[in-house]
Amino acid sequence: MNKISLRKTLIPLVTFGIICFMYFGPINRTPFENIIISLIIIVANCFEYRGKPFSALGLYIEKFNAKDLLVIAPLVAFGLFIFYVIALVPGIEMLTGVPIDYSSMNQLKGDLPTTIIWILIVWATAAFGEEIIFRGYLMRQFVKFFGDSKISLAINIVLISGFFGYMHMQQGVTGQLVAGSTGAIFAIIFILRKYDLWFMIMVHGIFNTIAFFSIYLGLA
């Protein structure tokens, strides 16, 4: 493993401290905190990678192509959603004995304008925000420090996905386990796609869009 400079050690440590403060500090949580954290990460990467913050997250220009983003990513998102509904959620509900808590989304049922507004919000905060934070930054930083051996990647997936699941506390313990498991699948796809964050943003955004329209139609 290449020697990591002091700059590339201190900047991510400070950034991680800010992320933890934003999530767990005395500041009231808002739907837009992921956007704020994402902007902080981009600024931090500007200093760490000397003005090239986006490729360090996996936002490669050469991987921004129509076939991957408009054909393959929607198919992956749809397949993942089917697995989520048929196997993942029922399996974890059976394990915990507690149904997943979607009560925070009740206002979407039958309300198309509210559903569309929330879909736009979730694209910004979850598809872009969460993917930049959890996959693009935390996972990539873990690889930078600990490498990409099979053992390292397994620990990477478990730790970051566990953190991802914990942050979905509004959905109860079942929702946290479901989110953590979904995060682990996202992480595996991210690795298999050679850290292509554009692809993950599309998969995450389309997955959430399907879920929100399902709630709107009363199917969830």
Side-chain angles (χ1 to χ4, degrees):
M1 186 183 300
N2 295 329
K3 184 178 179 180
I4 301 173
S5 68
L6 183 61
R7 184 184 80 253
K8 290 192 174 186
T9 300
L10 290 180
I11 292 176
L13 287 176
V14 171
T15 305
F16 183 68
I18 294 173
I19 292 172
C20 290
F21 178 79
M22 292 290 294
Y23 280 143
F24 306 113
I27 301 173
N28 291 330
R29 295 194 65 187
T30 74
F32 301 101
E33 67 184 345
N34 284 343
I35 298 175
I36 297 171
I37 294 173
S38 297
L39 293 174
I40 291 171
I41 285 171
I42 291 170
V43 171
N45 272 6
C46 281
F47 288 102
E48 182 176 353
Y49 295 98
R50 300 192 183 282
K52 298 180 179 179
F54 299 107
S55 60
L57 296 170
L59 297 172
Y60 305 110
I61 294 176
E62 62 271 18
K63 292 190 176 183
F64 191 84
N65 67 80
K67 180 182 177 181
D68 283 350
L69 301 182
L70 300 180
V71 179
I72 299 176
L75 290 174
V76 171
F78 183 75
L80 180 56
F81 184 76
I82 295 299
F83 172 74
Y84 177 90
V85 171
I86 293 177
L88 186 60
V89 173
I92 293 180
E93 286 181 337
M94 187 180 299
L95 178 67
T96 63
V98 180
I100 192 168
D101 184 3
Y102 290 131
S103 60
S104 62
M105 303 295 179
N106 284 341
Q107 72 269 28
L108 303 184
K109 293 183 178 179
D111 189 338
L112 184 58
T114 300
T115 299
I116 291 173
I117 290 171
W118 272 100
I119 286 173
L120 293 175
I121 290 173
V122 85
W123 267 92
T125 61
F128 279 90
E130 289 180 350
E131 288 307 316
I132 286 174
I133 296 165
F134 292 96
R135 256 66 68 183
Y137 191 72
L138 294 180
M139 282 192 68
R140 295 271 284 177
Q141 287 289 339
F142 193 99
V143 169
K144 184 187 78 179
F145 284 108
F146 301 106
D148 58 357
S149 68
K150 291 182 179 179
I151 294 176
S152 178
L153 288 176
I155 296 172
N156 189 343
I157 291 169
V158 171
L159 287 179
I160 307 303
S161 300
F163 187 18
F164 180 74
Y166 176 77
M167 296 310 300
H168 289 74
M169 59 192 74
Q170 74 276 9
Q171 295 179 8
V173 63
T174 299
Q176 288 178 302
L177 291 173
V178 168
S181 300
T182 305
I185 296 172
F186 283 168
I188 292 169
I189 296 172
F190 187 49
I191 293 168
L192 293 176
R193 291 286 308 184
K194 307 297 183 184
Y195 307 108
D196 179 2
L197 196 63
W198 289 120
F199 188 84
M200 295 313 306
I201 288 170
M202 288 299 293
V203 170
H204 197 154
I206 294 169
F207 177 91
N208 283 347
T209 299
I210 297 170
F212 275 42
F213 271 118
S214 296
I215 295 171
Y216 161 72
L217 295 171
L219 300 177

